[in-house]
Amino acid sequence: MPLPATAPKAAPAARSTDISGSTDLLPPLLQDFERLIGLQATMALVRRWGGLRIYIPTPDKAGPEHAYAAVIGLQALQALAEEYGGLPHFQLPKATRALQALRNRRIAADYATSKTARQLAAEHGITEGQVGRIVAALGVTAPQGRRTRTPGA
């Protein structure tokens, strides 16, 4: 597989909870990483090595002792190794704002349909207050059935 081209800077996220095609905010390489290993693992790689040149090991060298495995897990590393293992070093885009906008869209979509602020905070490693600010900024409300509190809940 040839090295991905560098993408132009991502545009700011639109105020929408529709996340279909939302990975278009990401540079092509990160779109592919997100497809292979998911958003959380892609964000973890970018937080740790974004902006640096990286080398993905070949599948036979992608073991539990590799530094990437400690950050994204062995299964995710092996998925990347199958696609990118052994290629020359390449720069991992930072794309921090694009990843954050994508995460926020997904949080808003999940909040609007099924998950609570508590569940989303735990899933994304942020506070419940941050979830509240994200969904408020995107104009999202909880589904009608979740808006009223029941005793003991």
Side-chain angles (χ1 to χ4, degrees):
M1 171 178 240
L3 290 177
T6 303
K9 288 192 176 187
R15 291 178 56 100
S16 167
T17 60
D18 178 16
I19 63 164
S20 58
S22 61
T23 58
D24 62 345
L25 294 171
L26 300 176
L29 177 65
L30 295 184
Q31 287 180 27
D32 200 39
F33 276 28
E34 195 272 341
R35 177 186 61 82
L36 291 168
I37 64 173
L39 179 63
Q40 298 291 62
T42 300
M43 287 180 74
L45 269 180
V46 168
R47 275 192 299 269
R48 177 65 180 84
W49 290 286
L52 301 175
R53 290 181 344 112
I54 65 168
Y55 174 80
I56 304 294
T58 57
D60 61 311
K61 302 259 197 254
E65 70 288 344
H66 196 282
Y68 298 160
V71 173
I72 63 173
L74 181 58
Q75 186 176 0
L77 173 58
Q78 289 173 337
L80 288 177
E82 290 294 325
E83 289 280 328
Y84 291 95
L87 291 178
H89 286 74
F90 56 90
Q91 185 163 338
L92 182 65
K94 235 173 158 34
T96 308
R97 287 191 179 123
L99 283 168
Q100 188 175 43
L102 176 58
R103 180 205 65 188
N104 291 354
R105 284 183 178 186
R106 290 190 176 174
I107 286 171
D110 286 347
Y111 185 81
T113 58
S114 61
K115 294 185 179 178
T116 65
R118 182 180 180 90
Q119 290 169 320
L120 290 164
E123 182 179 322
H124 292 276
I126 60 177
T127 67
E128 290 179 60
Q130 285 174 294
V131 172
R133 286 187 291 281
I134 289 166
V135 299
L138 294 175
V140 175
T141 57
Q144 187 63 39
R146 236 184 35 230
R147 288 188 200 161
T148 56
R149 294 214 181 258
T150 57

